């Protein structure tokens, strides 16, 4: 028993008794006293992550996605700096939701997917974006490549079979 200033008394005999127990009993006693808080925090974290995931699924279900094909004339000469400037322009779409928006409304940052694909030997640059950002994407492309042609196309992923191997695709 230790006496502190202002007449406070701290009784540490419980902890001394626990620390004098055999190891397995000591671990069990410490877990019974404070270990449940770690388990509760893990369950709280998992519940929060599940809640946010459900809210974000509901929020993103209303998004309308489009695929834009970008064709740059072959005689256009630009340095890699032009593409870097396109990425810098697209970074203007960055949005950080506040705590209430994230955890209650499920607000989530919208994203872009930029792809180079080859369809039957024709190489094409595709941008997968949310419809709200179409003007931003077009402005970024036209700022660096004024002669570029931007058209909305169907998503090519739907044409790829889901089971392999099949009659048209054999994958080793």
């Amino acid at each position: 028993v230790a006496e502190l200033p202002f007449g406070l008394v701290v009784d540490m005999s419980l902890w001394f008794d626990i620390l004098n127990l055999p190891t397995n009993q000591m671990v069990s006693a410490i877990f019974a006293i404070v270990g449940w808080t770690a388990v509760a925090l893990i369950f709280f974290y998992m519940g929060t992550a599940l809640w946010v995931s459900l809210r974000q699924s509901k929020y993103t279900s209303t998004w309308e996605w489009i695929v834009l094909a970008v064709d740059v004339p072959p005689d256009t000469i630009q340095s890699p700096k032009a593409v870097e400037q396109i990425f810098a322009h697209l970074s203007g779409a960055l949005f950080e939701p506040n705590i209430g928006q994230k955890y209650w409304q499920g607000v989530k940052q919208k994203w872009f997917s930029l792809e180079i694909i080859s369809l039957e030997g024709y190489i094409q640059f595709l941008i997968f974006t949310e419809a709200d950002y179409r003007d931003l994407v077009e402005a970024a492309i036209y700022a660096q490549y004024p002669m570029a042609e931007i058209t909305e196309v169907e998503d090519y992923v739907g044409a790829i079979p889901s089971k392999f191997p099949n009659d048209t695709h054999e994958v080793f």
Side-chain angles (χ1 to χ4, degrees):
V1 177
E3 190 166 332
L4 299 174
F6 306 110
L8 295 175
V9 176
V10 177
D11 184 9
M12 299 292 287
S13 60
L14 172 70
W15 290 105
F16 291 133
D17 292 342
I18 290 174
L19 293 174
N20 288 327
L21 291 173
T23 306
N24 61 346
Q25 291 177 354
M26 178 178 57
V27 169
S28 298
I30 290 173
F31 183 77
I33 294 171
V34 295
W36 62 271
T37 58
V39 174
L41 288 173
I42 290 170
F43 278 111
F44 178 76
Y45 174 77
M46 290 174 15
T48 303
L50 178 63
W51 171 260
V52 169
S53 178
L54 291 171
R55 299 302 295 174
Q56 287 179 344
S57 294
K58 183 178 178 184
Y59 178 75
T60 59
S61 66
T62 60
W63 290 358
E64 181 186 338
W65 292 97
I66 59 172
V67 181
L68 300 174
V70 179
D71 293 315
V72 178
D75 59 345
T76 302
I77 299 175
Q78 282 280 18
S79 70
K81 182 80 170 167
V83 177
E84 185 179 327
Q85 290 300 317
I86 290 172
F87 289 138
H89 196 131
L90 294 179
S91 70
L94 179 63
F95 169 71
E96 299 273 342
N98 63 34
I99 292 174
Q101 290 172 325
K102 179 180 179 181
Y103 289 99
W104 189 250
Q105 297 171 343
V107 175
K108 186 177 188 176
Q109 169 70 49
K110 295 180 181 180
W111 60 88
F112 303 93
S113 173
L114 292 84
E115 306 169 11
I116 299 174
I117 65 166
S118 174
L119 294 173
E120 299 177 5
Y122 179 68
I123 297 175
Q124 198 165 33
F125 186 66
L126 297 180
I127 301 175
F128 187 75
T129 184
E130 216 272 331
D132 290 345
Y133 289 139
R134 181 181 184 146
D135 292 339
L136 176 70
V137 170
E138 289 179 350
I141 299 294
Y142 287 136
Q144 300 303 317
Y145 300 99
M147 300 303 294
E149 293 180 25
I150 302 174
T151 55
E152 187 174 340
V153 295
E154 289 291 321
D155 191 3
Y156 68 93
V157 176
I160 298 173
S162 60
K163 186 176 179 187
F164 296 101
N166 60 28
D167 296 337
T168 58
H169 294 79
E170 185 173 331
V171 179
F172 175 70

